[in-house]
């Protein structure tokens, strides 16, 4: 009678923890080892196994630490290692809701059907209809409506309207800008919030967005500029810092970098169109990168009990010790000092009314590309107004262009919008 085949599966003992990896020695009896080797070579099952003596076994030890560091510990970059549920990522969704509310209010203030006398796109939307594409390529409000809501303009900042620095990061140039910007924020922001927590992600979001607005304020021309893309670029900068700092923990590093650069490049191209601002994007990305080096430490895998550990974090939480929190102190300290100097310097420059565009003539092309529908030059448009009973004629004093409108009751702000279109 043939002896029973050894049960090799029950003789393997293996335990793995996430943050502290402890591997028990894999013990395989002599017969099991011979069986595995023969199956590997012949791809057949062993029909006869030599009897083994009771309580006698040969132990073969294998060090699997390197293998698991290379395979198990590495994950795709955009796959969060932490398992927070969707409701735990409330900070990004809260900012998205705020942006949505502000955009709806902006379109209500614009009221294209009334202020533009029906010369609108998507007239069926009524009060929420958009300005024509020739006036706003993003399909959004007029320049005067953006001015009312808090867009940054050089002449308005000269009047010490500093409240615009806080409203400008919430404004979008139009529905195209709104959709593209928020989709990118959701894609990048939710990953960062799941991986590094709501508080740190929220801090980077707000500080980088405000820093970008300060950069806009010292470069802005005499045309309305919105800075909502600054928050996205702040998150992009923080993501780049997280990727480069934890380079060895991820598998698809090059693909992740290409994705981030594509998102940044695409949004910078959009920033060359009117109303969007590239200065805030560049300033926010630099700020987000420095803040990411300060706040984003290496993510850990070990998970502990499910309970509330902080703002909006109810799922399985990650465990950190002070060694991980205080790792690379020189890099963190240098990044914090650089960000502080940058932030304070920008704030002082804005309060002093410094405008670098006066000294840098070519800087305008970072934010604008010349086109027949608009100008990159910082000039004020003026028009001669001739009104009758039913018609209004505007003639540009700069180039002689004129246009006749079939209405006369129009606000001064809207008249300036139309004059800018005629003179451009």
């Amino acid at each position: 009678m043939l002896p029973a085949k050894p049960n090799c599966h029950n003789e393997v003992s293996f335990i793995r923890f996430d943050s502290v990896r402890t591997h028990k020695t894999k013990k395989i009896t002599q017969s099991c080892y011979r069986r595995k080797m023969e199956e590997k070579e012949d791809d057949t099952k062993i029909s006869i196994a030599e009897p083994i003596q009771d309580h006698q076994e040969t132990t073969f030890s294998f060090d699997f630490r390197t293998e698991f560091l290379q395979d198990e510990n590495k994950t795709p970059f955009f796959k969060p290692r932490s398992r927070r549920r969707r409701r735990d990522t409330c900070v990004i969704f809260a900012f998205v809701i705020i942006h949505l509310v502000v955009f709806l209010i902006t379109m209500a203030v614009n009221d294209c059907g009334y202020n533009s006398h029906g010369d609108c796109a998507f007239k069926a939307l009524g009060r929420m209809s958009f300005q024509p594409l020739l006036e706003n390529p993003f399909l959004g409000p007029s320049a005067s409506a953006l001015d009312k809501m808090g867009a940054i303009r050089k002449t308005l900042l000269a009047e010490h309207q500093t409240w615009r620095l806080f409203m400008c990061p919430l404004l979008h140039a139009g529905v195209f800008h709104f959709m593209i910007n928020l989709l990118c924020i959701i894609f990048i922001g939710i990953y960062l919030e799941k991986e590094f927590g709501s508080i740190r992600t929220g801090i980077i979001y707000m500080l980088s967005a405000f820093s970008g607005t300060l950069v806009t304020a010292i470069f802005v021309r005499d045309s309305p500029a919105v800075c909502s893309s600054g928050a996205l670029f702040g998150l992009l900068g923080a993501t780049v810092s997280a990727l480069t700092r934890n380079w060895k923990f991820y598998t698809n590093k090059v693909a992740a970098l290409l994705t981030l650069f594509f998102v940044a490049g695409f949004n910078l191209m959009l920033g060359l169109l009117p109303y969007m601002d590239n200065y805030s994007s560049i300033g926010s990305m630099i700020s987000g990168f420095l803040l990411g080096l300060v706040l984003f430490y290496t993510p850990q895998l070990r998970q502990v009990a499910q309970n509330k550990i902080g703002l909006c974090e109810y799922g399985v939480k990650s465990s950190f010790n002070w060694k991980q929190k205080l790792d690379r102190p020189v890099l963190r300290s240098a990044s914090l000092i650089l960000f502080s100097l940058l932030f304070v310097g920008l704030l002082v420059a804005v309060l002093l009314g410094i405008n670098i565009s006066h000294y840098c003539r070519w800087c305008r092309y970072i934010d604008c590309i010349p086109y027949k529908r608009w100008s990159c030059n910082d000039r004020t448009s003026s028009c001669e107004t001739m009104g009758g009973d039913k018609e209004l004629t505007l003639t540009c004093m700069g180039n002689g262009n004129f246009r006749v409108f079939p209405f006369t009751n129009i606000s001064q702000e809207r008249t300036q919008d139309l004059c800018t279109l005629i003179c451009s």
Side-chain angles (χ1 to χ4, degrees), residues 150-169:
I152 290 182
R153 187 194 284 260
K154 183 174 68 174
T155 54
L156 298 177
L157 284 180
E159 299 174 1
H160 302 289
Q161 298 183 19
T162 54
W163 60 273
R164 296 180 178 274
L165 299 175
F166 301 95
M167 280 301 300
C168 189

Side-chain angles (χ1 to χ4, degrees), residues 113-153:
Y114 175 78
N115 293 318
S116 298
H117 297 270
D119 185 17
C120 309
F122 297 95
K123 297 180 182 180
L125 296 177
R127 187 184 183 96
M128 308 300 290
S129 56
F130 311 111
Q131 300 301 130
L133 284 173
L134 294 178
E135 182 177 351
N136 188 331
F138 291 105
L139 209 62
S142 63
S144 57
L146 291 175
D147 285 336
K148 291 178 182 178
M149 290 299 299
I152 290 182
R153 187 194 284 260

